[in-house]
Amino acid sequence: MDPIRLTYDVPVTQSLAFALFVDEFSRWWPREFSRDPLAFESASLGGVAGADVTWTSSDGGVDVWGRIEVLQPGEQVTWWCWWQGEENAPSHVSVRFSENDWGSRVHFEHDGWREANAAFRAAYEQWPLIMAAYVLHTRRRGFDQDPRIDGEQQRGVA
């Protein structure tokens, strides 16, 4: 089964792109893509290899939906994923960051599909919408940090 591969150019440095993805995961993750959007409070990538990937709800409940495999600051984060409930047959998410002429490039890949988790693959077709929220977050931060853009030019930027 083919992996889901997405690539984005974002207007921030490689290290900031990584930090915005990992450290501000809860700020950009769309609540609509949690198990209970109405109760969604926060999301976390844990910050270190071996940490849980979680959603926290407004009642204090924590939903573990993955485990960090690799976390190399500024370079990549990978995790085993069971967002749709396939904990016994997790898939694998990898996000790598590299510099480019415009800022940085983000390489997203969700793979590890096999017979045991194939039924869950279609549910992950939402990644482009989720990653669009991340790209928007980086663009907002990129404009905040670009001295060439004043407040008047920032209005209306999505």
Side-chain angles (χ1 to χ4, degrees):
M1 205 173 289
D2 291 337
I4 299 168
R5 289 188 179 113
L6 306 166
T7 303
Y8 300 94
D9 291 329
V10 295
V12 294
T13 64
Q14 177 180 342
S15 60
L16 182 56
F18 176 89
L20 292 174
F21 191 92
V22 174
D23 300 337
E24 296 190 8
F25 191 67
S26 192
R27 293 187 67 190
W28 65 263
W29 184 271
R31 70 176 45 242
E32 297 83 4
F33 297 102
S34 65
R35 288 200 214 279
D36 185 353
L38 295 177
F40 177 83
E41 186 73 24
S42 65
S44 173
L45 285 177
V48 296
D52 290 336
V53 179
T54 62
W55 286 309
T56 302
S57 61
S58 55
D59 67 3
V62 176
D63 187 7
V64 177
W65 59 278
R67 185 146 302 115
I68 300 295
E69 177 189 36
V70 174
L71 195 137
Q72 293 176 300
E75 294 183 27
Q76 71 172 330
V77 59
T78 69
W79 69 90
W80 295 103
C81 180
W82 52 86
W83 169 15
Q84 300 297 325
E86 68 280 19
E87 185 172 356
N88 293 329
S91 51
H92 190 256
V93 175
S94 172
V95 186
R96 294 176 290 111
F97 303 83
S98 60
E99 293 287 341
N100 70 13
D101 292 339
W102 195 58
S104 58
R105 180 159 287 171
V106 180
H107 307 269
F108 174 93
E109 183 172 297
H110 192 160
D111 65 354
W113 306 110
R114 53 199 183 281
E115 189 174 325
N117 64 12
F120 297 98
R121 170 72 167 64
Y124 290 100
E125 293 294 328
Q126 304 164 352
W127 277 118
L129 298 173
I130 295 167
M131 290 300 291
Y134 165 72
V135 171
L136 177 60
H137 187 63
T138 66
R139 289 183 178 167
R140 287 180 177 145
R141 288 297 298 273
F143 287 124
D144 288 348
Q145 295 187 353
D146 191 334
R148 299 171 298 171
I149 300 173
D150 63 28
E152 289 297 310
Q153 293 171 306
Q154 289 185 47
R155 290 193 186 128
V157 174

